[in-house]
Amino acid sequence: MLPGVNRLAEATSPYLRMHADNPIDWREWDEEALAEARATDRPILLSVGYAACHWCHVMAHESFSDPDVAALVNPNFVAIKVDREERPDLDAVFMKATQALTGSGGWPMTVFLTPEGLPFFAGTYYPPVRSGGMPSFAEVVTAIDTAWRQRRDEASASAAVIAAHLADAFEPTPATGQKVDVWGTLDRLSAEFDPIHGGFGTAPKFPAPLLVDALLVKGEPGSLDVAQRTLDAMARGGIHDQIGGGFARYSVDAGWVVPHFEKMLYDNALLLGSYVRGWRRVPDHDPLLRAQCERVVRGLVGWLEREMLLPSGGFASSLDADSLDSRGMQHEGIYYCWTPELLTDALGDADGAWAAEVFHVTTTGTFEHGLSTLQLRGNPDAARLARVSATLLAERQLRFAPARDDKVVAAWNGWAIDSLVWASAVFDEPGWLELAKGAAECLWRDHWDGRLRRSSLAGEASAVAGFAEDYGAVALGFARLAGALGDAEWLRRAQELLSQALDLFGAEDGGFHDAAADAEQLFARARDVSDNPTPSGTSALIAALRLVGLLADDAALTERAELAAGTLRGILEQAPRFAGSALLDALVVDEARTGLRPAVAVVIGDALGQDARATWRMAPIGTAVLTGAAGTPGFAHHFEDRTEPGVYVCRGTTCFPPTSDLVELRTALWSRVN
């Protein structure tokens, strides 16, 4: 270990490496650190954060870089730093503890544990000096050290009670009925819709791609209206990077005006798919909304390729909220904001004034310090908007860019692959399909060694094994790619992932745990069936099981998905807003009850030919689209005796004549059969 560098210098997480030169003697969470705590009988200081977290950086600068704080921590605690993106299991378990102890949670998360790893005190951010009634971090450390020395029995007893209370906190709440009331659930969800600003709930307001996808399934006017108004509102808001593409993590206000400026791969991977599928549902007589969705899709893929693509073919995890201004001072959001004067400097008087009006850049500012986020107002001329946006993007790229977390997370890349395949097929963009294939090759090459690894950095896989969401998302992406390319090797890999996942994560009730059965045992085993920004591990595996089951004609996988779906009925009853993936699955199942079972649509022809494009654009959600040459092997019987070009649609045991006629194809895709 180099002088002045702690044990995090060789971590595969850039967030952990950021703390390598802290005077605090940080360790990673591993058996060596836990054994040292037990052997030396010292409590554990656990700090959990992530690279794009603004307040994580603040606390690192204010407290973790302070030698006086390190002098309090190092002799008295075993200090462990965790990247929540690399260890979502630890984050979930200790966030439950933090919420139980404090009533709230967030990052950075600060938890003190007994030498046995049980929590007895928790909080989030602490300032460097006492402020507004909040103690300083140094005061907290001193108080915990004193309490541990003088009232250890009390702290240990409290930790045991907390651990016992949380041991069952991850079990899903059972449903009261045997069947999901899908229409009642849609009504409850619509009641939480914000009719003024779009989206769901109030400030802070998060994008809702999972809910939007669910609302698109049936195509009934009320649900479509909620979905489309949400997509349009987000596309116009300051949460959307109007000139560079992609979305920030959330908006601090209800109107989507001011975002929390960090940009996460997982949000954008899922939103890409939602805008593609949203575009499919927009009628021809609404060309403005269709153009809006397409603008978002093209901008988002452009951002992925320009700013997130790594040499490995995988996609980086995030961009920070903070960056430097022209004087070298750190500010949140400074990279993305403008004033009327800055617009004029970049564009000239005429275009500058036009851009200020179109993007609602005011003299007083919509953000802070006279700066404005960019929001899209009205329906400006598309060609002028594109030209002005390109000029502003080139000007912005001269600024100091936010830092990027180059860690490749398996699940997030899996969702990106899935959405890129959708986007490529619907918008006839072969280059996007190559991006999806490159990310898939990165995952298989760098993350699979007989076990799927959660993350990698510069081609080096983390020792952390993948979680349920990783197996589900990657299997889904591989299967979707297999269908688009007609390459059965990707289907075989998806099957291998799912076969292993069933053994690692299966629960007694038919659902799935988030952490593997052979993972280190904490006082609770992580299992959360609710969606957060991303699908739950259970929902991720269900989606993959259903698609692979169709492509491989494996009824056992479909039956396993049905069994797992039963464990999601409780969360659908209780909180449908946080169960978008489960709702989508329930709606597809409800469609099957009335004859619209998920079909397999086999396209004999080019991956991005006219027949394939029409099928991807018109097929109901839940359809497995499979493209290849006649006689393509490795996809069960799907290519047998299918020699003529066209689309072959089979729903269960009912098959329709092959066709290339758009009307006939739509009839086959949407016909209900007994």
Side-chain angles (χ1 to χ4, degrees), residues 171-450:
E171 291 303 310
T173 303
T176 58
Q178 294 299 311
K179 181 182 176 182
V180 177
D181 177 9
V182 293
W183 291 110
T185 303
L186 286 171
D187 287 342
R188 290 175 57 202
L189 188 58
S190 295
E192 297 192 59
F193 173 66
D194 180 348
I196 299 174
H197 303 295
F200 300 87
T202 58
K205 186 174 281 184
F206 290 79
L210 308 178
L211 294 178
V212 166
D213 271 335
L215 292 167
L216 294 171
V217 171
K218 284 187 173 287
E220 59 88 19
S223 295
L224 280 183
D225 181 61
V226 170
Q228 290 169 352
R229 288 167 67 184
T230 296
L231 291 173
D232 187 55
M234 290 192 299
R236 292 179 176 278
I239 192 172
H240 178 213
D241 185 348
Q242 301 292 342
I243 62 174
F247 290 81
R249 195 163 76 90
Y250 64 88
S251 173
V252 301
D253 58 274
W256 308 108
V257 177
V258 177
H260 192 43
F261 289 91
E262 62 208 48
K263 294 170 80 170
M264 313 300 297
L265 176 62
Y266 57 75
D267 285 319
N268 286 284
L270 295 168
L271 283 163
L272 174 60
S274 294
Y275 274 93
V276 172
R277 290 180 285 272
W279 180 91
R280 299 191 325 150
R281 280 293 199 181
V282 179
D284 291 338
H285 62 256
D286 193 353
L288 293 177
L289 183 55
R290 285 176 73 89
Q292 179 83 291
C293 289
E294 184 170 352
R295 182 178 75 92
V296 170
V297 167
R298 293 189 178 280
L300 209 160
V301 178
W303 171 74
L304 283 173
E305 188 170 16
R306 183 182 64 251
E307 298 187 32
M308 303 300 282
L309 183 62
L310 299 167
S312 65
F315 294 102
S317 294
S318 63
L319 297 179
D320 280 6
D322 302 353
S323 58
L324 300 177
D325 66 12
S326 59
R327 297 170 298 168
M329 303 295 291
Q330 194 94 342
H331 292 280
E332 182 182 2
I334 192 72
Y335 185 71
Y336 300 100
C337 293
W338 299 81
T339 64
E341 293 76 19
L342 288 171
L343 292 177
T344 299
D345 289 344
L347 299 167
D349 292 338
D351 279 346
W354 183 85
E357 178 67 24
V358 166
F359 291 130
H360 194 53
V361 176
T362 68
T363 55
T364 56
T366 59
F367 176 40
E368 59 185 28
H369 309 304
L371 294 167
S372 292
T373 60
L374 300 187
Q375 305 167 70
L376 185 65
R377 297 300 179 92
N379 297 297
D381 177 75
R384 189 176 188 184
L385 178 64
R387 176 175 56 78
V388 164
S389 296
T391 302
L392 291 178
L393 178 61
E395 179 71 17
R396 193 178 76 180
Q397 288 176 313
L398 301 177
R399 299 176 180 179
F400 293 103
R404 186 177 71 181
D405 182 342
D406 284 351
K407 176 175 75 264
V408 174
V409 175
W412 307 355
N413 275 261
W415 287 312
I417 293 164
D418 180 57
S419 291
L420 281 166
V421 172
W422 267 99
S424 170
V426 168
F427 289 104
D428 191 22
E429 289 287 352
W432 299 356
L433 189 59
E434 288 302 310
L435 287 176
K437 185 179 178 182
E441 289 171 342
C442 166
L443 292 180
W444 192 251
R445 180 185 66 246
D446 296 344
H447 287 239
W448 179 255
D449 57 7

